Amino acid sequence: LPDLSVDSRSEQPLQRLQTWLQNVPGKVLLCVESAGRREALREMLQRIRLTPQEVNNWPTFIEQTDTSQLYMTLGPLEQGTSIDNALFLITENELFGQRIRQTRRRQKQKTDSENIIRDLSELKEGSPVVHLDHGVGRYIGLQTLDAGGQVNEFLVLSYSGNDKLYVPVSSLHLISRYGGAEMDAAPISKLGTDKWSNAKRKAIEKIRDTAAELLDIYARRQARKGFAFDAPDEDYQRFSAGFPYEETPDQQAAIEAVIGDMCSLRPMDRLVCGDVGFGKTEVAMRAAFMAVQSGKQVAVLVPTTLLAQQHYQNFSDRFAEWPVKVDVLSRFNSAKETQAALNRMIEGKTDIVVGTHKLLQKDIKFDHLGLLIIDEEHRFGVSQKEKIKALRAEIDILTLTATPIPRTLNMAMASIRDLSIIATPPAKRLSVKTFVRQQDDATIKEAVLREILRGGQVYYLHNEVKSIDKIARELGEAIPEARVVVAHGQMSERELESVMGDFYHKRFNVLVCTTIIETGIDVPSANTIIIHRADKFGLAQLHQLRGRVGRSHHQAYAYLLTPPQKITKDAEKRLEAISNAQDLGAGFMLATHDLEIRGAGELLGDEQSGQIETIGFTLYMEMLEQAVNAIRSGKEPSIDLTGNSGAEVNLHIPALIPSDYLPDVNSRLTLYKRIANAKDDHQLRELQVEMIDRFGLLPDQVKNLFRVTSLKLRLAPLGIAKLNVTDSHGRVEFSKETDINPFTLIKLVQTKPQTFKLEDGHSLRFYGAMENIDQRFNTIDQILEDLQKDPNAK
């Protein structure tokens, strides 16, 4: 086969294919992996005037007797072949010189994690949203309107005084979720006043100061010299191969990011966010192996004694075949065992030590500590966090969490800390079915019996030690099949260890316990958890507790019980958020809910909470990011900051996702937002592929939507503010900062006076027959080409 591949996503490989086809004697079959890829490739081939015939399979291809040379079919093949120099099979991988499937999967993951906080999929009617130019309004719904004879879909927002704003779906990049204050207390703006622009201006002035301060912290962090660990070698590869599962794409990305941080001279401060059981510990173990190989010690800091024991066991098992000494410091150790472990640490005989906050005490000394791994940072107190903060300048720090606290999340999003998200669940994992119910004996009995009768075990969480034995006794009397045992933090170490061991080995099938199990041992057969007074727990804690079940391939259940009397508004919101977020990998989304319920927390100073409340957390973070980038590139952050709202395009054609193609409103909303936010044609093409694979071939209205969005991307860099085209004429309006050469415009009007006319100094009117959609796009393409010509060229 010819070498058609280039390491590029451009159309160059297609042009190579075109040249090769002119010289090839036989028939050629292009093989693509999905219907979406087929449509995308067909569209690209049409641009170079190649139209492949579609066939179902190889036998059909061989039987073809027509004069066509190029055919296309579906099939997940990696490599092509040729037969007798007459039949050629070429795969998409060969054509584009890269693993299409893997690249797409990883890119999608990256995009999802980057945009997850800006996602509009959870919008309900009445939810506050922020329009960049008009302020905070309430979302009413999506509405299809006939405007000027063309049907399009609009997002309807309600403002103060019952005013309505209809936002075309092509402008959805101007809309973001509102967060930062109570949803009911969101400051709804009034249309047609200066209040919003003044609030935005004030916020930007504060943001500019915050951005400068952030960059100062970041620069100091960059300037600090840390320890560069040795690059991964053959031993590391052998250690990685000992992982008994296949890494998920984003787990692999997190591992690579951590290795990159460790091999650089800058001290690592990375946050790895992933649900319980999604593979964070393996990321930590790879990092620990790298540190030990480079002659450094590793400290693993955990919030509870039970978790210390579990991590110690896991690390000991994983490093069993390597000359690595793992120790544990916890209250399960006797004084003699603890002292022996401390001596080994000082003498450098211990490579990895797992422990609770004891590890941070003044008398704890290491010989050559190089890496600190922190599990669930939010469980530590202020004094412990201050000690961790002091260590940040000297050693590499890796933090693992299922739901980061708002402040941590805020800092990660502001680039003070690096963030990796593991959102892909392990194979065969099912999400935990979550029910919010009022306390009721019948519900409890039904839930416990269902689990026991299928051979499983139950956690019954009652977070009050003084009445826990009474609850256990009542439970045992009501359900004779239940073998009940109690566990709480006031039990002696040995007793607690014994109880947890008995439960793990199925000697009991119901464990009545306190939150001591929150980060406890992994019991795969425990697949129902009942949480008494769930309204008293925080969002992160509820998510963590729910993660105690569903650790195997069995369906798991979580019952969140509330009292008959009214609970607080915040508790209601937390329970609603946790019951809605049942998808695997929901921890990060829950953290953003937490951030909205509790407020963003102080990022650097007290001033910001007011700004975040005024303009919303999402817009605040977008503006902060833009200000940071502007200062970084030596520019003054723009006070106007209209968010690069792009060109306004109206071609008077239907450009929407029809409800009969995609009935679910929230799915349509999310896709509209993703299309509007696309940064280039490649992202648009990938979105088309995804939509075809998920929902079927694109209707004409959706194709129009993609073409209009692609056109907007071309207009923005030219400084074109508006484009309006009908069947007989059109108008191009230029912005003040347009890059179009005025002499080019003058020459265009002079050479084609029947077609072009200049209007009011900043607009160009043009005339022509543009009755169908293709004519309109072809005319626009030609005009854009003319506008970019050198006026001196002949």
Side-chain angles (χ1 to χ4, degrees), residues 46 77 79 197:
Q46 279 171 351
L77 297 180
Q79 225 172 338
S197 54

Side-chain angles (χ1 to χ4, degrees), residues 178-183 595-600 609 612-614 616-618:
Y178 176 85
E182 287 275 349
M183 294 291 135
L595 190 139
E596 288 167 356
I597 293 166
R598 286 163 54 183
S609 54
I612 290 172
E613 210 163 299
T614 307
F617 175 76
T618 309

Side-chain angles (χ1 to χ4, degrees), residues 664-788:
D664 183 63
V665 173
N666 279 345
S667 297
R668 287 211 306 279
L669 198 55
T670 304
L671 282 164
Y672 278 135
K673 177 75 168 166
R674 287 176 66 193
I675 293 166
N677 279 355
K679 292 183 173 63
D680 53 39
D681 278 342
H682 171 57
Q683 281 190 12
L684 283 175
R685 201 151 48 233
E686 291 300 320
L687 262 168
Q688 276 179 280
V689 170
E690 185 188 324
M691 283 181 71
I692 293 167
D693 288 347
R694 285 173 67 188
F695 311 113
L697 294 177
L698 302 180
D700 289 340
Q701 302 101 307
V702 183
K703 288 179 183 173
N704 292 343
L705 180 64
F706 277 105
R707 287 179 82 175
V708 168
T709 309
S710 175
L711 180 59
K712 290 177 80 168
L713 291 170
R714 288 172 64 197
L715 298 178
L718 298 175
I720 293 174
K722 282 185 186 174
L723 174 66
N724 195 322
V725 185
T726 66
D727 55 2
S728 59
H729 63 275
R731 186 167 176 268
V732 180
E733 192 177 306
F734 302 99
S735 66
K736 289 174 187 172
E737 293 82 28
T738 182
D739 286 339
I740 303 296
N741 190 321
F743 293 108
T744 303
L745 278 173
I746 292 165
K747 188 176 178 181
L748 197 60
V749 173
Q750 286 174 341
T751 53
K752 298 178 182 176
Q754 299 305 313
T755 308
F756 295 104
K757 283 187 171 56
L758 274 175
E759 277 186 357
D760 55 38
H762 61 269
S763 297
L764 178 72
R765 190 172 279 279
F766 57 93
Y767 301 88
M770 297 172 283
E771 289 172 13
N772 66 49
I773 289 167
D774 286 335
Q775 282 177 327
R776 281 178 211 188
F777 279 106
N778 291 339
T779 303
I780 293 163
D781 286 344
Q782 187 57 55
I783 291 171
L784 292 181
E785 207 176 292
D786 290 342
L787 287 174
Q788 292 174 80

Side-chain angles (χ1 to χ4, degrees), residues 113-118 214 271 404 406-419 421 588 591-592 595 603 617-618 621-622 624-625 628:
S113 61
E114 280 174 357
N115 292 329
I116 202 161
I117 192 159
R118 297 170 188 172
L214 272 177
L271 175 69
R407 179 186 167 84
T408 308
L409 181 64
N410 216 354
M411 291 173 81
M413 291 185 152
S415 303
I416 300 177
R417 299 178 71 178
D418 298 312
L419 175 69
I421 298 171
F588 185 76
T592 65
L595 190 139
L603 185 62
F617 175 76
T618 309
M621 292 311 290
E622 282 178 12
L624 181 60
E625 190 182 335
V628 165

Side-chain angles (χ1 to χ4, degrees), residues 245-385:
Y245 309 100
E246 185 188 348
E247 296 89 349
T248 59
D250 37 358
Q251 185 186 25
Q252 186 61 46
I255 290 167
E256 285 165 12
V258 168
I259 290 171
D261 289 351
M262 290 178 74
C263 292
S264 77
L265 269 172
R266 179 170 62 84
M268 171 171 75
D269 187 6
R270 180 166 290 275
L271 175 69
V272 175
C273 177
D275 270 9
V276 179
F278 274 36
K280 301 189 298 289
T281 308
E282 179 61 20
V283 178
M285 286 182 180
R286 304 261 179 113
F289 186 87
M290 292 264 299
V292 173
Q293 285 292 91
S294 300
K296 291 287 185 180
Q297 287 175 304
V298 180
V300 183
L301 184 63
V302 297
T304 67
T305 308
L306 281 173
L307 193 59
Q309 289 300 122
Q310 186 182 331
H311 271 331
Y312 169 65
Q313 200 58 55
N314 289 343
F315 272 79
S316 298
D317 292 346
R318 189 78 170 84
F319 286 89
E321 294 175 16
W322 297 87
V324 174
K325 174 65 182 165
V326 184
D327 259 334
V328 62
L329 284 183
S330 80
R331 62 191 179 99
F332 283 164
N333 293 17
S334 65
K336 190 177 176 183
E337 287 170 335
T338 301
Q339 194 53 53
L342 292 174
N343 292 340
R344 285 194 293 273
M345 282 160 55
I346 294 167
E347 291 162 15
K349 290 177 182 172
T350 295
D351 298 301
I352 301 171
V353 61
V354 182
T356 55
H357 56 272
K358 259 189 176 180
L359 279 178
L360 298 172
Q361 287 172 3
K362 282 181 184 172
D363 58 338
I364 302 289
K365 300 261 187 306
F366 290 87
D367 181 38
H368 41 263
L369 182 63
L371 173 67
L372 173 63
I373 297 166
I374 306 165
D375 201 1
E376 299 300 344
E377 186 183 25
H378 67 274
R379 299 289 309 283
F380 295 100
V382 175
S383 60
Q384 282 120 14
K385 283 179 187 161

